[in-house]
Amino acid sequence: MSNAIHLHYEVSGEDFTRAGEASGAVKKRLKSLGYSPDAIRRVAIAMYEAEINMVIHAEGGFCDVDIYPDRVEVLLSDRGPGIPDVEKAMQEGYSTAPANVRSLGFGAGMGLPNIKKYSDEMRIDTTIGVGTKLYLTVRVNQ
Amino acid sequence: MTVKDLIEELKLTILVEGDLDREVTDCYIGDLLSWVMGRAPEDSVWLTVMGNINSIAVATLADVSCIVLVENAALDTDARNKANIHGVTILQTEENSYALAVKISGLLR
Ligand SMILES: Nc1ncnc2c1ncn2[C@@H]1O[C@H](COP(=O)(O)OP(=O)(O)OP(=O)(O)O)[C@@H](O)[C@H]1O
Ligand SMILES: [Mg+2]
């Protein structure tokens, strides 16, 4: 696919107040490429949720974005503890977020459900002690 | 109704001034950020007590018209800076969400 645009971002695991830089940059890029506001909103929210998760629940990682005319594909890969029970983690309201991040408004247990809601495809590959890979695709109406 | 109208009608304090001519068509109340990102309609006025930097990211992503910090909830410095950079309007009131939302409901009708 010669007309794909590839973007790569490192996501720091140190400072979750900075999380959102990758999704913010992608949002800008999609806007300048003329994608629809609805598609941009869905990509940006799904990515932000995943980015925040990488920082809060893992130790950061990287994010690869492929922008095609008809879809946006994102891989978010972290070096965190992995997710023991993905089905449970996907449930609305399930959260292991610690108290310090809950006091900042995280920990509703709605991040993964939001990603599912806003993406057209979502897949989680996770290995305990190794990390988690989240693949998501948002289709763009043309 | 615009953000400017809202400020005048409800006597809100401006903490950060973004686009005050933006339309307000709805209202959403919530402090859990993922909840807000999943449910807040675009062009809402968002009532919350969360005045930290992540709220600014959420406001941008959910594309709300403005944030109102109710019950004089504080806006921290990082959040103020980020709101300035991104042009997110932040307002403040001593009223609670319920009292303010009742008034907003009357205005949006
Ligand atoms: N990248 C990850 N690595 C390890 N665990 C994760 C990761 N992402 C999610 N989880 C686990 O799945 C749970 C649910 O995630 P989800 O994003 O839905 O909610 P949350 O992050 O806890 O709260 P919210 O997203 O509403 O602020 C988390 O609490 C955590 O236990
Ligand atoms: Mg989350």
Side-chain angles (χ1 to χ4, degrees), chain A residues 20-110:
Chain A
E21 285 181 358
S23 44
V26 169
K27 189 179 175 180
K28 246 186 219 145
R29 187 64 178 264
L30 291 174
K31 217 175 230 171
S32 75
L33 290 167
Y35 283 80
S36 74
D38 171 68
I40 295 173
R41 178 181 160 103
R42 288 188 294 130
V43 171
I45 292 178
M47 258 189 86
Y48 180 73
E49 290 284 14
E51 236 186 302
I52 288 282
N53 278 355
M54 277 168 91
V55 181
I56 290 177
H57 306 295
E59 283 100 63
F62 66 85
C63 171
D64 278 319
V65 183
D66 293 310
I67 302 173
Y68 298 95
D70 65 333
R71 68 191 188 282
V72 179
E73 295 182 357
V74 188
L75 160 64
L76 297 111
S77 177
D78 69 54
R79 303 170 289 267
I83 304 175
D85 186 341
V86 173
E87 208 178 302
K88 204 165 163 187
M90 288 296 301
Q91 286 171 8
E92 291 192 359
Y94 177 81
S95 173
T96 61
N100 64 321
V101 304
R102 282 181 192 264
S103 69
L104 292 168
F106 297 110
M110 291 296 288

